Structure formats: C-alpha cells, structure tokens
C-alpha cells in the first residue's frame, strides 16, 4: 500500500496542505496579537502625551520627535517582535533536523557546511551590532528632524497669528 506512488503523492499533498493551513493560522494569530500590542502601546503613549505639560514637551527630555518615534517606529518594532519571536525556538530545531538529514544523505561532507555556518556566526553577530548602532543613529536623526519640523510649524502658526 505504501509502495504505491499515487498513495505517496496524495500523502505528500495532504501533508503540504496541512502545513500551509497551520502556518497561515499561526501567522494570523501572531499578527493579530502583535497588532493588538502595537495599538495598545500607541494608545498608552498617546494618553501619556496628553497628560504631559507643554513645558515638558518643549524643554524636557521628551521631545515631540521622541513621542512620534514611540508612536510609530517603536510600536511597529513591538508588532514585529511578536512575529519574529516564533523563530527563536523554531530555527534551532530546523537547523538540527536539516543537518541530521544532510548528514544521513551526504555523510561527512554535510558537517563541513555546518562547520562553516558555525564559523560565520561571529561575523553575523558583529554585523548585527553594527546594524543596531546605525539604526540608533537613524532614530536620533529622525528625532532631530521631527523636532525641527515641529518648531518650524509652530513658528509658522505664530507668524499667521500676528499677520
């Protein structure tokens, strides 16, 4: 029965369809919860911003650019974390299974590829740290740009008021 090619084809089709349905359902649940967390965070920051005095926004440590960053970029990062946290436990399992299957198929040559992958891990780590620094610099520049734009808009409102 299991030797029949048609039976194996149908089993493969059923397995792939089941996998696709399960993955899509898990992506849907993760994205829904990530969007809920993002929306909740944005609402909390918005409510806190409404309670801040204008002196705290203009001369304090929290600038308008920082508030806008919290409302947009940081909230999106929280949403993406929900989606990517799934891979924290899935990736090591997939790597081990793939290496074992490659070892069973190719023998010792599969271990050479795994060794190269392990040797390149510190390079990836250094690149990730540099990308994090660049992203932090970009966020600081965005804060400054939004602060200057906000000041310019406030000055234009003042000019219109006196005109």
């Amino acid at each position: 029965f299991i030797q029949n090619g048609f039976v194996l084809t149908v089993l493969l089709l059923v397995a792939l369809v089941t996998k696709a349905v399960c993955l899509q359902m898990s992506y849907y649940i993760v994205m829904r919860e990530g969007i809920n967390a993002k929306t909740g965070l944005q609402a909390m920051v918005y409510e806190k911003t409404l309670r801040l005095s204008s002196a705290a926004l203009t001369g304090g440590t929290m600038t308008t650019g920082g508030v806008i960053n919290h409302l947009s970029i940081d909230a999106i990062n929280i949403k993406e974390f929900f989606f990517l946290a799934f891979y924290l436990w899935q990736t090591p399992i997939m790597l081990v299974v793939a290496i074992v299957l490659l070892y069973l198929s190719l023998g010792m040559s599969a271990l050479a590829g795994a060794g190269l992958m392990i040797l390149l891990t510190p390079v990836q780590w250094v690149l990730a740290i540099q990308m994090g620094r660049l992203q932090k610099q970009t966020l600081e520049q965005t804060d400054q740009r939004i602060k200057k734009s906000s000041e310019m808009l406030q000055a234009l409102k003042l000019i219109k008021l006196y005109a």
Side-chain angles (χ1 to χ4, degrees):
F1 179 74
I2 200 78
Q3 301 288 332
N4 190 346
F6 292 114
V7 172
L8 292 176
T9 305
V10 169
L11 285 175
L12 184 62
L13 176 70
V14 168
L16 289 176
V17 168
T18 304
K19 175 188 168 193
V21 168
C22 290
L23 274 177
Q24 287 303 314
M25 192 62 193
S26 70
Y27 288 159
Y28 169 74
I29 291 169
V30 166
M31 291 304 282
R32 184 185 64 203
E33 295 306 316
I35 289 171
N36 287 341
K38 174 187 155 199
T39 306
L41 181 63
Q42 285 177 331
M44 288 172 40
V45 170
Y46 182 71
E47 288 174 8
K48 176 66 176 176
T49 305
L50 291 178
R51 283 183 275 152
L52 287 175
S53 65
S54 59
L57 283 174
T58 56
T61 58
M62 181 59 70
T63 63
T64 307
V67 171
I68 291 173
N69 268 345
H70 282 305
L71 280 174
S72 59
I73 296 169
D74 293 344
I76 290 172
N77 287 340
I78 294 293
K79 182 187 81 159
E80 288 178 359
F81 170 76
F82 274 81
F83 184 71
L84 296 175
F86 175 70
Y87 294 106
L88 285 175
W89 64 269
Q90 180 191 20
T91 302
I93 294 171
M94 287 177 61
L95 282 174
V96 168
V97 169
I99 290 171
V100 167
L101 290 175
L102 283 173
Y103 179 76
L104 293 175
S105 297
L106 302 174
M108 292 300 283
S109 58
L111 296 179
L116 180 65
M117 188 171 53
I118 291 170
L119 285 175
L120 289 177
T121 301
V123 174
Q124 291 176 347
W125 185 265
V126 169
L127 290 176
I129 289 172
Q130 289 177 349
M131 288 295 293
R133 286 184 191 145
L134 288 174
Q135 185 176 12
K136 187 173 182 179
Q137 290 174 356
T138 303
L139 289 175
E140 289 171 358
Q141 294 298 322
T142 302
D143 282 348
Q144 292 299 321
R145 187 193 71 211
I146 291 173
K147 182 178 179 183
K148 290 183 191 299
S149 298
S150 181
E151 288 174 3
M152 184 179 65
L153 288 173
Q154 290 294 334
L156 285 173
K157 287 179 185 178
L158 188 64
I159 290 172
K160 283 183 177 182
L161 179 68
Y162 287 127

